[in-house]
């Protein structure tokens, strides 16, 4: 098992190395750079940049170095925790993205937990009650869930929260907590703001996940070893949850590994609609403005998240399925 | 818990002379309500199983052998259901520690909830089953030890350490090499023969009084098959277990069984001792079944006789004797009109065929 995990971590590092090279190239690829752009802008404003100043800027950002030197400077700084400075914001990238990353991660994790917490029992229920009225109702709801776009759900929930619950929607904190230090009350206020995006993101995946759960469990329930479990005299609950569900989880776990990037991009749209400071919108503008270090750092962090998600899924898969553990 | 079997039991008091009956099945109907119609898998099955003996159960594919076993174990699940019939289990209850006398208690299994507590306490402890497919009958996610121990922990009230000791003991008893290592293994790490031994250990883990062995050796090579058959016979003698041995292999029947039940399309057509089955078969179906297999000593030129026609599908009901469309001795106007009743044709020998008597099966009240 340990062997298996180490091997996976090895793959993960190789993947990240490749992503860092390709990602950096892509961000750098368009002609021009933020510095040239900036120099031009300052000139147009009538500010007179001396050649010295320009050289200082160029030197500082190493514009005259060959690309591999610049890449090396960036990546070696990155692993040491020095992510560079954003041209646009004139701030350390570190200070810009820290909190956003945290919100993104917590929204993702909470919505995944919510989606799984609903999808798995729902799928199990409808598989074990196939062709009964509740199963038909669940099926109809699932198809509705699959076909309603998430921004629409977001709008409906926002109106509902504001009109009916009298909540302040959008943003992360109510005004009085905006600058307050962290406390239990502030955390609760945060949750009150975050529940809408969490529900909206979970909504989109719950329907699909529970369909998959239902289909897989139906397959597994037809397996001989389920009858073997019954033949021991186990209760039906133990037969279903211990012997059948565990073997029906593989596809769900595999989906889990790949779902983080999807959640983050889905979140971007939602975050723009709801004005929540997650990484999505900032990453988007950073790419637009060729804000090199900011964009590249985002890319790296999102990749790390995605790859970590896959690693966790691989470990979970090995835990449920001994055949993978020893492969 | 002490329900007596319904009126049908009188009608057929055991015909197996001199045997102590452990299971009495009467008029058992099990149907599957599928999308394409109702599959009448069992259509009034009647038979007795003698205690401590091996009963062979034969018949072409689809005649309902597995469903019979599953019905008695009360493990038929949706869309299947037992729609009618009685299954009486005569279980021996030990008296006190010093009391050697044994009380026999009768339980009607069809009156119990299939997944209810009483049935669950019987299943796995007093009755267990070895399934048709050894490759898929163990859960791939748990070790062999865990799967065997699960039954022991459930029924025998011992702790984990003791349960593992017993599991290793049983594996050793079924001739598994290195049992202490095997308990830590997962099914995919074992060969087919080893898995079947593990499955047998699982079924035997609580020393059941009745074991259903559903083609336990079909998937195995001849050597392993012989070993496993020896093993079962040996165990059966040692703990006086009753075995219902389902198989297509009449050679194995001759070697293993005391009695034989022949099934056709969800009914029992003949029940007899193993000798009578082979040397004095009564039902035309039994005879053609025997003629359709090669046997030792048969001359090279002698051709095997496949039974003509195919088994009808269980979705359409056949009027009269279910075998009449394929029977070479069919009597028009009789066999295709009414269902033959049970006729005693010899010592412990019953058959359902109009060649031996005119008894008619009373109309069953199942739709
Ligand atoms: N789950 C099910 N759904 C629908 N029909 C079923 C189901 N299980 C069994 N049957 C039907 O019941 C009949 C008897 O099946 P059963 O498995 O008992 O046959 P069998 O005698 O064991 O055959 P084999 O020798 O091939 O194992 C078959 O015709 C089958 O179509
Ligand atoms: Mg079968």
């Amino acid at each position: 098992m340990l062997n298996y995990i180490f091997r996976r971590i090895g793959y993960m590092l190789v993947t990240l190395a490749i992503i860092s090279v390709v990602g950096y190239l892509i961000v750098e690829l368009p002609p021009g750079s933020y510095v040239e752009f900036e120099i031009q802008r300052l000139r147009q404003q009538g500010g007179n940049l001396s050649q010295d100043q320009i050289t200082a800027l160029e030197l500082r950002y190493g514009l005259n170095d060959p690309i591999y030197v610049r890449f090396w400077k960036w990546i070696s700084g990155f692993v040491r925790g020095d992510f560079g400075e954003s041209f646009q914001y004139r701030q350390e990238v570190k200070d810009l993205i820290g909190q956003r990353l945290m919100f993104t991660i917590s929204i993702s994790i909470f919505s995944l937990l919510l989606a799984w917490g609903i999808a798995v029992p729902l799928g199990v229920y409808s598989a074990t009650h196939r062709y009964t009225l509740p199963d038909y109702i669940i099926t109809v709801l699932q198809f509705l869930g699959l076909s309603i776009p998430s921004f629409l759900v977001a709008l409906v929930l926002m109106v509902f929260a504001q009109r009916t619950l009298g909540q302040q929607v959008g943003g992360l904190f109510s005004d009085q907590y905006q600058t307050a230090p962290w406390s239990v009350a502030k955390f609760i206020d945060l949750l009150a703001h975050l529940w809408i995006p969490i529900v909206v993101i979970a909504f989109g995946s719950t329907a699909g996940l529970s369909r998959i759960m239902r289909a897989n469990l139906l397959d597994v329930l037809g397996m001989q070893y389920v009858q073997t479990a019954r033949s021991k005299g186990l209760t039906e609950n133990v037969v279903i949850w211990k012997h059948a569900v565990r073997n029906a989880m593989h596809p769900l776990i595999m989906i889990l590994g790949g779902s983080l990037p999807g959640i983050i991009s889905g979140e971007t749209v939602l975050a723009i609609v709801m004005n929540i400071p997650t990484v999505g919108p900032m990453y988007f503008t950073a790419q637009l403005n060729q804000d090199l270090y900011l964009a590249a750092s985002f890319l790296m962090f999102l990749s790390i998240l995605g790859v970590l998600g896959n690693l966790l899924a691989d470990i979970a898969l090995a835990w449920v399925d001994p055949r993978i553990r020893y492969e | 818990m002490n329900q007596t079997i319904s009126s049908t039991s009188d009608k057929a008091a055991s015909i197996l002379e001199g045997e102590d009956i452990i299971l009495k099945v009467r008029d058992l109907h099990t149907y599957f309500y599928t999308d394409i119609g109702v599959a009448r898998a069992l259509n009034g099955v009647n038979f007795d199983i003698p205690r401590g003996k091996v009963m062979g159960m034969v018949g072409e594919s689809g005649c309902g052998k597995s469903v019979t076993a599953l019905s008695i174990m009360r493990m038929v699940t949706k869309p299947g259901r037992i729609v009618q019939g009685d299954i009486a289990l005569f279980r021996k209850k030990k008296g006190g520690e010093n009391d050697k006398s044994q009380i026999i208690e009768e339980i009607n299994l069809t009156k119990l909830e299939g997944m209810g507590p009483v049935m669950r306490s019987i299943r796995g402890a007093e009755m267990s089953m070895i399934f048709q497919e050894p490759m898929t009958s163990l859960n791939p996610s748990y070790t062999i030890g865990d799967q065997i121990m699960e039954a022991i922990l459930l029924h025998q009230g011992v702790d984990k350490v003791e349960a593992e000791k017993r599991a290793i003991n049983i594996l050793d008893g079924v001739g598994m090499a290195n049992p202490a290592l095997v308990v830590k293994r997962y099914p995919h790490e074992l060969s087919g023969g080893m898995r079947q031994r593990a499955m047998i250990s699982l079924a035997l883990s609580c020393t059941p009084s009745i074991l259903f062995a559903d083609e336990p050796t079909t998937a195995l090579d001849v050597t392993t098959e012989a070993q496993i058959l020896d093993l079962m016979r040996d165990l059966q003698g040692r703990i006086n277990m009753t075995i219902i041995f389902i198989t297509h292999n009449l050679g194995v029947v001759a070697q293993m069984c005391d009695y034989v039940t022949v099934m056709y399309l969800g009914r029992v057509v003949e029940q007899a001792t193993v000798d009578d089955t082979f040397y004095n078969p009564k039902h035309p179906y039994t005879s053609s079944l025997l003629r359709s297999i090669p046997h030792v000593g048969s001359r090279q030129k002698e051709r095997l006789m496949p039974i003509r026609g195919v088994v009808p599908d269980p979705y359409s009901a056949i009027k009269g004797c279910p075998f009449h469309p394929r029977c070479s001795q069919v009597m028009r106007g009789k066999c295709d009109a009414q269902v033959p009743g049970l006729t005693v044709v010899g010592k412990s020998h019953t058959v359902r065929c109009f060649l031996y008597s005119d008894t008619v099966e009373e109309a069953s009240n199942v739709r």
Side-chain angles (χ1 to χ4, degrees):
Chain A
M1 184 76 180
L2 232 57
N3 206 338
Y4 170 86
I5 294 175
F6 282 136
R7 201 143 30 105
R8 291 290 131 153
I9 293 178
Y11 292 151
M12 186 179 108
L13 293 178
V14 172
T15 314
L16 284 178
I18 295 172
I19 290 177
S20 70
V21 173
V22 175
Y24 188 84
L25 281 180
I26 290 174
V27 179
E28 271 255 6
L29 208 55
S33 71
Y34 195 82
V35 177
E36 287 165 20
F37 188 66
E38 186 66 15
I39 294 169
Q40 219 140 44
R41 194 175 62 89
L42 287 175
R43 283 221 173 103
Q44 266 165 10
Q45 280 177 352
N48 221 343
L49 283 168
S50 67
Q51 193 53 45
D52 284 356
Q53 276 174 306
I54 294 172
T55 333
L57 266 178
E58 280 179 352
L59 214 70
R60 178 156 162 230
Y61 294 111
L63 280 194
N64 299 323
D65 292 337
I67 185 155
Y68 59 86
V69 175
R70 277 178 284 151
F71 171 72
W72 181 250
K73 274 186 184 160
W74 169 70
I75 193 70
S76 52
F78 188 92
V79 281
R80 272 183 278 116
D82 173 14
F83 309 139
E85 186 180 299
S86 158
F87 303 132
Q88 197 185 357
Y89 296 88
R90 305 229 170 270
Q91 264 183 38
E92 283 283 315
V93 168
K94 200 187 305 185
D95 303 333
L96 276 174
I97 65 176
Q99 228 180 18
R100 283 173 182 261
L101 214 54
M102 195 194 79
F103 288 131
T104 295
I105 293 174
S106 34
I107 290 180
S108 307
I109 289 178
F110 279 122
S111 55
L112 272 178
L113 285 179
L114 185 66
W116 274 56
I118 299 172
V120 171
L122 202 67
V124 171
Y125 183 87
S126 55
T128 50
H129 293 76
R130 194 156 58 134
Y131 303 139
T132 61
L133 188 63
D135 179 34
Y136 289 126
I137 294 174
I138 290 171
T139 303
V140 170
L141 290 179
Q142 283 165 334
F143 282 117
L144 280 180
L146 283 175
S147 48
I148 298 176
S150 62
F151 73 87
L152 190 64
V153 181
L155 290 176
V156 170
L157 282 183
M158 280 165 83
V159 171
F160 170 76
Q162 196 152 36
R163 293 267 168 85
T164 319
L165 304 180
Q167 277 182 355
Q168 190 191 355
V169 292
L172 279 175
F173 301 104
S174 309
D175 297 336
Q176 69 266 36
Y177 292 110
Q178 207 65 261
T179 50
W182 279 103
S183 65
V184 176
K186 182 168 176 173
F187 183 71
I188 292 172
D189 183 62
L190 176 65
L191 278 190
H193 282 82
L194 278 189
W195 75 267
I196 295 180
I198 290 173
V199 168
V200 172
I201 293 167
F203 180 86
S205 45
T206 303
L209 285 175
S210 58
R211 283 309 293 171
I212 296 168
M213 186 70 217
R214 178 183 186 272
N216 279 303
L217 189 59
L218 281 177
D219 277 354
V220 172
L221 284 176
M223 295 287 183
Q224 190 63 71
Y225 57 76
V226 173
Q227 283 288 42
T228 305
R230 283 204 186 93
S231 78
K232 295 182 198 174
L234 299 170
T235 62
E236 193 64 7
N237 267 337
V238 175
V239 173
I240 301 284
W241 287 95
K242 182 173 172 191
H243 287 272
V245 171
R246 178 164 176 172
N247 287 296
M249 293 297 278
H250 301 201
L252 244 61
I253 294 174
M254 258 136 64
I255 291 172
L256 178 68
S259 62
L260 265 181
I263 286 184
I264 289 167
S265 54
E267 203 171 58
T268 305
V269 177
L270 198 65
I272 294 173
V273 173
M274 294 190 62
N275 183 30
I276 307 170
T278 61
V279 294
M282 194 186 241
Y283 178 41
F284 182 65
T285 46
Q287 284 280 23
L288 274 186
N289 295 332
Q290 286 197 32
D291 194 344
L292 176 64
Y293 293 121
L294 187 58
S297 303
F298 269 134
L299 183 72
M300 278 316 285
F301 276 112
L302 294 184
S303 312
I304 290 172
L305 275 185
V307 176
L308 266 181
N310 267 315
L311 177 73
L312 290 181
D314 279 345
I315 292 174
L317 212 56
W319 176 68
V320 301
D321 188 349
R323 284 167 294 189
I324 294 174
R325 229 174 290 167
Y326 296 99
E327 92 187 354
Chain B
M1 209 153 84
N2 265 326
Q3 289 116 353
T4 40
I5 204 153
S6 73
S7 58
T8 43
S9 68
D10 314 321
K11 178 180 85 184
S14 176
I15 44 82
L16 299 177
E17 284 174 32
E19 293 289 2
D20 175 14
I21 300 301
I22 190 167
L23 257 183
K24 219 178 241 187
V25 176
R26 291 292 175 272
D27 199 31
L28 187 63
H29 290 72
T30 301
Y31 293 176
F32 289 88
Y33 297 88
T34 67
D35 292 340
I36 52 168
V38 180
R40 296 178 171 80
L42 301 186
N43 257 311
V45 167
N46 290 283
F47 60 72
D48 293 346
I49 306 288
R51 194 186 302 275
K53 294 286 156 67
V54 181
M55 169 68 80
M57 196 170 265
V58 298
E60 281 160 296
S61 192
C63 67
K65 304 181 296 291
S66 300
V67 173
T68 303
L70 291 175
S71 299
I72 297 171
M73 296 274 288
R74 296 302 318 275
M75 278 170 38
V76 175
T77 48
K78 274 188 176 175
R81 190 158 65 80
I82 295 179
V83 290
Q84 186 183 315
D86 294 289
I87 301 162
L89 168 69
F90 298 89
R91 105 217 265 207
K92 270 191 179 154
K93 270 184 116 179
K94 302 239 162 49
E97 261 309 295
N98 307 314
D99 190 358
K100 276 274 183 278
S101 72
Q102 284 175 323
I103 309 152
I104 291 192
E105 179 193 27
E106 177 178 351
I107 309 174
N108 188 342
L109 302 184
T110 44
K111 295 283 189 295
L112 297 174
E113 189 88 39
M115 280 294 151
V118 183
M119 199 57 230
R120 276 189 283 111
S121 73
I122 293 175
R123 203 163 40 223
E126 289 180 55
M127 263 187 202
S128 57
M129 182 159 177
I130 301 168
F131 293 94
Q132 214 162 336
E133 297 139 38
M135 300 313 273
T136 57
S137 50
L138 292 167
N139 193 325
S141 300
Y142 297 97
T143 60
I144 303 298
D146 280 344
Q147 296 188 55
I148 298 175
M149 282 157 61
E150 198 177 24
I152 298 174
L153 289 169
L154 185 69
H155 295 292
Q156 304 200 317
V158 296
D159 63 5
K160 275 199 142 172
V161 181
E162 176 62 21
E164 178 163 329
K165 227 191 276 168
R166 291 192 190 183
I168 292 174
N169 255 334
I170 301 162
L171 283 169
D172 193 35
V174 303
M176 180 81 88
N178 253 330
L181 217 70
V182 169
V183 285
K184 303 253 177 326
R185 294 272 170 270
Y186 289 91
H188 72 273
E189 300 174 272
L190 306 186
S191 70
M194 288 165 89
R195 283 189 217 187
Q196 195 61 317
R197 282 175 206 266
M199 184 65 218
I200 293 174
S201 308
L202 201 166
L204 295 177
S205 57
C206 301
T207 48
S209 35
I210 303 179
L211 176 71
F212 293 93
D214 194 351
E215 303 185 33
T217 56
T218 317
L220 306 177
D221 65 87
V222 201
T223 325
T224 317
E225 175 175 38
Q227 286 171 358
I228 289 198
L229 292 179
D230 272 354
L231 170 79
M232 290 182 64
R233 194 77 234 207
D234 177 49
L235 287 166
Q236 189 264 332
R238 257 193 287 157
I239 60 178
N240 195 32
M241 194 165 50
T242 308
I243 301 181
I244 291 93
F245 198 99
I246 300 173
T247 181
H248 288 277
N249 188 335
L250 293 177
V252 171
V253 170
Q255 178 192 343
M256 287 287 293
C257 303
D258 303 300
Y259 293 93
V260 181
T261 299
V262 182
M263 287 191 69
Y264 187 79
L265 211 63
R267 286 167 197 272
V268 172
V269 293
E270 185 164 358
Q271 192 176 29
T273 61
V274 86
D275 286 347
D276 280 340
T277 307
F278 283 98
Y279 299 112
N280 188 19
K282 295 293 184 196
H283 201 284
Y285 177 64
T286 313
S287 315
S288 40
L289 209 57
L290 289 169
R291 256 183 278 120
S292 70
I293 57 149
H295 46 90
V296 186
S298 66
R299 271 166 289 127
Q300 289 254 310
K301 287 229 182 75
E302 206 170 34
R303 291 192 54 189
L304 291 178
M305 300 265 293
I307 308 176
R308 74 187 160 109
V310 289
V311 190
D313 73 273
Y315 292 92
S316 46
I318 292 183
K319 201 169 183 310
C321 169
F323 188 58
H324 86 262
R326 298 169 73 189
C327 185
S328 53
Q329 289 161 278
V330 61
M331 295 172 279
R332 298 281 162 215
K334 197 166 183 181
C335 298
D336 51 7
Q338 280 169 313
V339 181
L342 190 86
T343 311
V344 180
V345 288
K347 185 168 179 283
S348 302
H349 195 167
T350 53
V351 69
R352 283 165 186 276
C353 180
F354 286 130
L355 289 173
Y356 304 97
S357 90
D358 289 335
T359 356
V360 172
E361 173 86 336
E362 46 200 81
S364 173
N365 52 1
V366 181
R367 294 166 297 106

